[in-house]
C-alpha cells in the first residue's frame, strides 16, 4: 500500500532506521523508510550514552568539537548505507547568538560532502533563510524549527530559485506542549501552498510528532512527509498501523486553535515576520545539548 505521506525516521540511531525500514516493508507499505531527520540534541545524547559521557558534574571537557562532528558524520554515513535512496537531514550547528549565514553555508557545503543523499537543515530565522536561499541552488534544504505560517511563507519565497528539494518542518509537538494546536500549523501551511505547483513549493515535513493521532491527521492532510521517532512508530505498529478514514476528524481537546491567515506570497521574503519564541528556544536548546559534550 502507498501512503499519502512519506515516512522518515526522527532519530540518530542507524539500528532503529534499519528496524523501522524492515517493519514498514513487512507491514506492506511499499516504500519503507524514505528518509531520516537528525538534530544536534539527538546526536549529542546518543554520543553521550554510547561513550559514557554522562557525568557532567566534574565540568571537565569531554571531547573536541571535531570529535563530535566526526561522530555525527559517521552516524549519517551509516544511515545512508541503510537507506541509500533516502533523504537524510543533517543540521548546521552553532551558538545562535553568533552563528552567521556564512558559517551556515560553510557547514552546509561540508555536510553535503559527507553523504550523497544529504539534506541540509537550516533554522527558520533570517540568517538561516538567507543561507537556504543560496544553498537551495547547490543541494536540498530543510527548514527546521518552523512554528508559524509566516515562516513557511518566507521559506517558499526565499527558496523559489531552488534546484533541489526544499522541505519545511513545522514542529507540532512543541506547540501542543504549551497548549497550542501544532497540527493547525501543518493544516495552514498545506492550505497556503495548495495552488502552487508541486515541484515549485516546499515539501511539508510534519515534525516533532508525539502521538498516533498526529500521524493520522498528517496523513489525512497529505503532508508530504512525516518524521516519526522510532518509539512512536512501534506504537503505531502496535495499534495495527491504522490510517485515517475519509471523514477523519482530528480531535485536539484543550489546545488553542491557530487561525489561518491570507498571506500574499508575492513579496520579498524579508517582509514576513520570522520571529517565533519557540524557534529561539529550540535553537538555544540544540546548542546547549551539543556544547555540553564538547570542550
Ligand atoms: O523532527 C523534530 C524533532 O527532532 C524534534 O522533536 O520531540 O524534540 O520536539 P521534539
Amino acid at each position: 500500500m502507498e501512503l499519502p505521506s512519506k515516512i522518515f525516521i526522527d532519530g540518530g540511531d542507524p539500528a532503529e532506521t534499519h528496524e523501522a525500514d524492515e517493519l514498514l516493508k513487512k507491514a506492506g507499505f511499499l516504500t519503507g523508510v524514505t528518509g531520516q531527520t537528525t538534530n544536534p540534541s539527538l546526536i549529542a545524547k546518543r554520543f553521550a550514552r554510547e561513550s559514557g559521557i554522562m557525568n557532567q558534574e566534574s565540568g571537565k571537557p569531554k571531547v573536541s568539537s571535531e570529535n563530535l562532528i566526526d561522530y555525527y558524520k559517521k552516524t549519517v554515513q551509516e544511515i545512508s548505507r541503510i537507506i541509500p535512496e533516502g533523504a537524510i537531514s543533517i543540521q548546521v550547528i552553532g551558538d545562535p547568538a553568533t552563528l552567521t549565514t556564512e558559517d551556515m553555508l560553510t557547514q552546509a557545503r561540508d555536510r553535503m560532502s559527507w553523504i550523497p543523499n544529504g539534506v541540509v537543515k537550516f533554522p527558520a530565522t533570517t540568517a538561516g533563510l538567507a543561507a537556504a536561499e543560496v544553498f537551495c541552488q547547490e543541494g536540498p534544504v530543510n527548514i527546521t524549527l518552523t512554528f508559524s505560517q509566516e515562516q513557511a511563507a518566507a521559506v517558499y519565497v526565499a527558496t523559489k530559485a531552488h534546484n533541489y528539494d526544499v522541505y519545511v518542518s513545522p514542529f507540532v509537538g512543541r506547540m501542543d506542549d504549551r497548549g497550542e494546536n501544532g497540527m493547525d500549523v501543518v493544516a495552514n501551511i498545506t492550505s497556503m501552498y495548495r495552488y502552487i505547483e508541486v515541484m515549485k513549493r516546499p515539501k511539508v515535513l510534519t515534525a516533532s510528532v508525539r502521538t498516533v493521532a498526529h500521524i493520522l491527521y498528517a496523513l489525512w492532510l497529505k503532508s508530504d512527509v512525516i518524521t516519526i521517532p522510532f518509539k512512536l512508530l512501534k506504537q503505531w505498529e502496535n495499534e495495527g498501523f491504522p490510517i485515517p478514514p475519509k471523514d477523519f476528524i482530528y480531535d485536539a481537546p484543550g489546545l488553542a486553535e491557530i487561525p489561518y491567515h491570507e498571506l500574499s506570497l508575492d513579496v520579498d521574503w524579508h517582509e514576513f515576520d520570522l520571529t517565533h519564541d519557540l524557534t529561539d528556544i529550540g535553537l538555544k536548546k540544540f546548542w546547549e545539548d551539543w556544547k555540553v559534550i564538547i570542550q
Side-chain angles (χ1 to χ4, degrees), residues 10 39 42 171 174 207-208 210 227:
D10 190 25
N39 70 42
L42 293 166
F171 272 33
R174 293 190 190 186
S208 177
R210 306 253 199 276
T227 190

Side-chain angles (χ1 to χ4, degrees), residues 146-166:
T146 302
F147 293 96
S148 75
Q149 193 192 327
E150 287 233 3
Q151 288 174 325
V155 172
Y156 164 65
V157 180
T159 59
K160 258 187 178 170
H162 64 97
N163 291 328
Y164 297 86
D165 284 341
V166 174

Side-chain angles (χ1 to χ4, degrees), residues 9-11 37-39 41-42 45 91 121 142 144-145 147 169-175 177 205-210 227-229 285-286:
I9 291 299
D10 190 25
T37 50
T38 65
N39 70 42
S41 303
L42 293 166
K45 279 179 189 149
Q91 192 159 324
K121 253 174 144 180
N142 176 0
T144 190
L145 291 167
F147 293 96
S169 293
F171 272 33
V172 301
R174 293 190 190 186
M175 302 198 80
D177 289 347
L205 192 162
T206 302
S208 177
V209 300
R210 306 253 199 276
T227 190
I228 307 178
K285 180 78 170 69
F286 280 145

Side-chain angles (χ1 to χ4, degrees), residues 157-211:
V157 180
T159 59
K160 258 187 178 170
H162 64 97
N163 291 328
Y164 297 86
D165 284 341
V166 174
Y167 298 87
V168 61
S169 293
F171 272 33
V172 301
R174 293 190 190 186
M175 302 198 80
D176 286 13
D177 289 347
R178 65 172 201 184
E180 295 176 77
N181 188 352
M183 285 306 295
D184 277 347
V185 180
V186 177
N188 294 343
I189 299 172
T190 311
S191 213
M192 176 174 67
Y193 287 168
R194 72 190 177 286
Y195 297 121
I196 309 170
E197 263 178 63
V198 175
M199 296 307 286
K200 291 194 173 162
R201 62 167 180 75
K203 296 177 194 306
V204 181
L205 192 162
T206 302
S208 177
V209 300
R210 306 253 199 276
T211 63

Side-chain angles (χ1 to χ4, degrees), residues 42-289:
L42 293 166
I43 298 294
K45 279 179 189 149
R46 182 159 173 268
F47 180 84
R49 228 178 15 251
E50 280 198 340
S51 56
I53 299 181
M54 288 304 278
N55 55 333
Q56 280 135 22
E57 65 274 6
S58 69
K60 289 260 162 59
K62 303 299 180 203
V63 290
S64 69
S65 169
E66 290 73 27
N67 278 347
L68 193 51
I69 286 285
D70 197 51
Y71 176 80
Y72 196 177
K73 178 174 171 178
K74 290 203 169 96
T75 302
V76 294
Q77 286 175 336
E78 225 181 298
I79 294 169
S80 176
R81 282 192 286 275
I82 296 163
I83 46 168
E85 308 295 326
I88 302 170
S89 287
I90 317 167
Q91 192 159 324
V92 296
I93 301 159
D95 181 345
T98 53
L99 191 69
T100 64
T101 297
E102 278 313 310
D103 297 333
M104 289 190 225
L105 281 170
T106 305
Q107 290 190 20
R109 289 175 184 133
D110 180 49
R111 278 151 179 63
M112 281 309 282
S113 72
W114 293 357
I115 50 172
N117 50 341
V119 175
V120 179
K121 253 174 144 180
F122 298 98
T125 56
T126 304
L129 276 200
E133 182 176 30
V134 174
F135 196 74
C136 68
Q137 305 212 1
E138 302 175 32
V141 301
N142 176 0
I143 309 305
T144 190
L145 291 167
T146 302
F147 293 96
S148 75
Q149 193 192 327
E150 287 233 3
Q151 288 174 325
V155 172
Y156 164 65
V157 180
T159 59
K160 258 187 178 170
H162 64 97
N163 291 328
Y164 297 86
D165 284 341
V166 174
Y167 298 87
V168 61
S169 293
F171 272 33
V172 301
R174 293 190 190 186
M175 302 198 80
D176 286 13
D177 289 347
R178 65 172 201 184
E180 295 176 77
N181 188 352
M183 285 306 295
D184 277 347
V185 180
V186 177
N188 294 343
I189 299 172
T190 311
S191 213
M192 176 174 67
Y193 287 168
R194 72 190 177 286
Y195 297 121
I196 309 170
E197 263 178 63
V198 175
M199 296 307 286
K200 291 194 173 162
R201 62 167 180 75
K203 296 177 194 306
V204 181
L205 192 162
T206 302
S208 177
V209 300
R210 306 253 199 276
T211 63
V212 172
H214 282 154
I215 298 175
L216 295 187
Y217 190 29
L219 287 169
W220 190 84
L221 288 167
K222 298 190 171 53
S223 171
D224 299 282
V225 181
I226 311 168
T227 190
I228 307 178
F230 183 66
K231 222 170 120 193
L232 181 61
L233 187 82
K234 294 286 284 179
Q235 192 185 326
W236 188 28
E237 180 201 24
N238 288 339
E239 293 181 20
F241 281 124
I243 52 168
K246 276 202 168 57
D247 58 353
F248 176 80
I249 290 174
Y250 178 65
D251 194 20
L255 297 182
E257 185 195 337
I258 298 174
Y260 180 78
H261 296 287
E262 278 309 333
L263 296 176
S264 165
L265 297 177
D266 215 9
V267 294
D268 187 292
W269 67 264
H270 297 90
E271 286 184 27
F272 293 106
D273 181 7
L274 288 174
T275 53
H276 198 289
D277 60 334
L278 286 179
T279 304
D280 298 339
I281 292 167
L283 269 180
K284 228 170 126 208
K285 180 78 170 69
F286 280 145
W287 178 235
E288 276 163 9
D289 288 346

